[in-house]
Amino acid sequence: MCIRDRAYKIALATAAGVTERFNVPQELAARGMTRLSAAVIGAGGNIHNAGIAFENISAAIKATGGSTEDTKAAVTAMVQIFSKGRVSAEELSGQLGERFPAAVTLFAEANNMTTQELQKGLKDGAIGLDKLWKFVLKLVYKYVDVAEKIGSASVEAGVRSQIAWNKVKLAVGEALQPIGADLQVIGAEILTNLVPVLEPVSYTHLTLPTKA
């Protein structure tokens, strides 16, 4: 198995784990993990770094009462930060802060800074991905356990039901995929066999009755 295929399998497994633990819908988890992986690897990280970042930011949103849309927006903010290679106030205070209100204070705490020092660093463009990573690792201690408890709580029953139904649809789709391929082959064979029959018909001219 090549490195790219192995990384893809790890990404899908991470997305599935986030769905299972935090009730993040399958499509959002898969797409979010894929996008974040590309950004993290592009910034010099690896698929495992991307998995940690995706799990922790998803847990933080779930633990603080965020919605599916909040998770999507937070992941987008992380993708943009990794893609730029530095942290800006636009993403941290704006996009991420709107969905995760504790983002700024926790970022400062993770880096032993005051919020004033952080704001100045953001303004000066001096906050790099090394400080972002400290923030990412801080999330696991504060939010993962809480997010898992919320994910298994009765209030999440509706979301779990939808995720379970999605699993059924995915399983049925995978089971029917070979059948669909067989039907396409059969259809092609039928059309091929009909060609000799249809060709003479296409050259036959109908003789219409003429008026007496």
Side-chain angles (χ1 to χ4, degrees):
M1 183 184 295
C2 69
I3 294 176
R4 185 173 61 183
D5 289 342
R6 191 180 304 120
Y8 181 68
K9 285 184 176 294
I10 292 171
L12 289 183
T14 301
V18 167
T19 294
E20 189 70 25
R21 294 161 66 198
F22 310 137
N23 288 338
V24 175
Q26 288 96 329
E27 182 181 355
L28 172 59
R31 185 171 297 178
M33 178 59 191
T34 302
R35 293 176 61 224
L36 189 55
S37 297
V40 171
I41 292 171
N46 57 50
I47 193 66
H48 300 289
N49 298 140
I52 291 170
F54 183 68
E55 287 180 355
N56 291 2
I57 198 64
S58 297
I61 299 300
K62 174 64 69 174
T64 53
S67 65
T68 297
E69 286 302 313
D70 291 327
T71 301
K72 181 179 179 180
V75 171
T76 296
M78 295 292 285
V79 168
Q80 292 176 349
I81 292 171
F82 276 108
S83 297
K84 290 180 178 179
R86 63 180 178 83
V87 186
S88 70
E90 179 185 356
E91 284 91 18
L92 182 61
S93 303
Q95 290 174 274
L96 187 58
E98 288 176 4
R99 310 293 179 161
F100 177 40
V104 173
T105 55
L106 194 63
F107 194 105
E109 181 183 323
N111 288 280
N112 297 315
M113 306 170 72
T114 65
T115 53
Q116 290 78 15
E117 289 171 334
L118 174 58
Q119 295 295 349
K120 185 179 185 304
L122 291 171
K123 185 178 180 180
D124 295 341
I127 306 298
L129 296 182
D130 57 328
K131 291 183 171 57
L132 175 67
W133 193 244
K134 291 179 181 179
F135 164 72
V136 167
L137 295 179
K138 185 82 172 178
L139 299 176
V140 69
Y141 302 109
K142 293 183 72 73
Y143 297 112
V144 169
D145 287 345
V146 176
E148 288 179 338
K149 289 177 182 176
I150 292 175
S152 61
S154 59
V155 294
E156 292 274 306
V159 181
R160 286 198 301 273
S161 177
Q162 182 60 51
I163 288 172
W165 177 238
N166 288 343
K167 286 183 180 178
V168 171
K169 291 193 291 184
L170 288 171
V172 170
E174 289 176 0
L176 291 179
Q177 189 172 7
I179 298 174
D182 289 342
L183 288 175
Q184 290 179 0
V185 171
I186 292 170
E189 289 176 351
I190 290 172
L191 289 175
T192 300
N193 292 330
L194 282 176
V195 167
V197 179
L198 293 174
E199 281 183 340
V201 175
S202 66
Y203 292 109
T204 300
H205 298 282
L206 296 178
T207 303
L208 298 177
T210 59
K211 292 182 180 179

